[in-house]
Amino acid sequence: MRIEPFGLERWFAKYEHEADIMLAESGIRSLDASRFDLDPGKLGYVIPTNGDPELRASVGDRYGRSADEVLFTCGTQEANFLTFLSLVTDHAPPGEDGIGAGTHAVVVTPTYQALHAVPEAFGEVTRVELSPPDWRLDPDAIDDAIREDTAVVVLNNPNNPTGRYHDAERVRAVYDVAADNDAYLLCDEVYRLLSTDPQPPVASLGAHGISTTSLTKAYGLAGIRFGWLAGPEPVVERAWKWKDYTTISPGLIGQHVAKQALGRREDRILSENRDLANTHRDRVTDWIDRHGLDWHEPVGVNAFPTVPDGFTDGREFCRTVVEDAGVVLAPGDLFGFPDRFRLGFGLPTPELEEGLDRVSRVIEPRVAAVNGKGEGA
Ligand SMILES: Cc1ncc(COP(=O)(O)O)c(C=O)c1O
């Protein structure tokens, strides 16, 4: 078994610490800890280790599922990891828990690297690559890629890096393809609640639907490392079995903050965060237009525009921006598209403004040089 290095994390590890402005963060800016009570009492494990039953019941309601169909995890990352462990590596004797065995996954790309690298390490992956400019999802392409040994089809909606939010009808069609082939549809929905019009989560679509998410991106609570998976009980049960060997329980302080964030305060937090995302999206749209770049207008706070003229590719552009202007962007080759870069606009407004201005100051002389050369030739 071999795992690819996580390219995006390595890029951030190289540049983020020294840079002034992080303009590649994919989530909304972090909330201040002072907004929450941080004292859960005695600092033991969460008991039971799959999470507080009442909170699981209330999270389950969001999917039309019971408390036993929800497992709390350390973020979406662990929720996805446990789902892959359960479906792609774990072959219980046939019929033991009703989950079909399979080592193959179909993954819709471009996407967050963990969603294809982990199943690639455990089994075999067929990618269904979407294309710009609109990154449209084609259920027939999923149908062509699916095999008898496909355990799971993987989608991230809204998507990182493109910001594409596939509509409910297409997602339903993909769900039907998965279900007809006795595979699960796993949808990473970590950006879903940044949409002002969220679609039904995949775990609510039927027996083959699994949703993963967390309080990281839409709530601005990455540091509490609190997320979950919701889906059919045998899958959740198997994921819990694996979780005993990863992190045992979710973090107690994370769960304590999650109870507050998912309770009375939720509407306020989400509407604040959506307002910030919407205002910033308008601001970034102006910036994109001003520099003549192409993009798909995103849901969430990730943009995936084309690289400005005058740069060889996204890597050269992002390296120049971070070295000359102290601003971190993410090169598109990390997602398989070297002619693009990812920009995150969920950060506080003054930082966004400063970051965009600094990037403009890197772009403008290069573009002018290209245009000057073009006129002279
Ligand atoms: C699609 C996607 N899933 C999962 C994660 C990790 O999120 P979490 O903090 O919930 O583990 C990210 C982070 O960028 C992401 O973009």
Side-chain angles (χ1 to χ4, degrees), residues 78-141:
E78 191 192 24
N80 291 331
F81 192 82
L82 295 174
T83 307
F84 291 132
L85 271 171
S86 304
L87 296 181
V88 185
T89 71
D90 191 340
H91 298 163
E96 189 178 90
D97 59 9
I99 302 175
T103 51
H104 179 247
V106 173
V107 183
V108 179
T109 58
T111 195
Y112 186 59
Q113 188 176 337
L115 291 173
H116 58 81
V118 173
E120 259 154 18
F122 295 161
E124 200 190 331
V125 166
T126 301
R127 294 193 197 190
V128 172
E129 183 104 312
L130 307 185
S131 306
D134 61 359
W135 314 101
R136 190 178 300 275
L137 179 64
D138 176 7
D140 290 338

Side-chain angles (χ1 to χ4, degrees), residues 6 8-9 12 24-27 73-80 111-115 155-161 188-191 212-217 221-223 225-228 302 335 342:
F6 202 140
L8 185 69
E9 292 301 338
F12 289 161
E25 169 53 54
S26 57
T73 58
C74 298
T76 318
Q77 191 83 303
E78 191 192 24
N80 291 331
T111 195
Y112 186 59
Q113 188 176 337
L115 291 173
L155 190 63
N156 168 215
N157 199 34
N159 175 260
N160 171 9
D188 177 327
E189 293 166 349
V190 73
Y191 299 100
T212 55
T213 192
S214 74
L215 301 196
T216 295
K217 308 293 177 184
L221 293 169
R225 307 305 306 129
F226 191 85
W228 60 81
N302 278 309
F335 301 93
R342 197 186 76 187

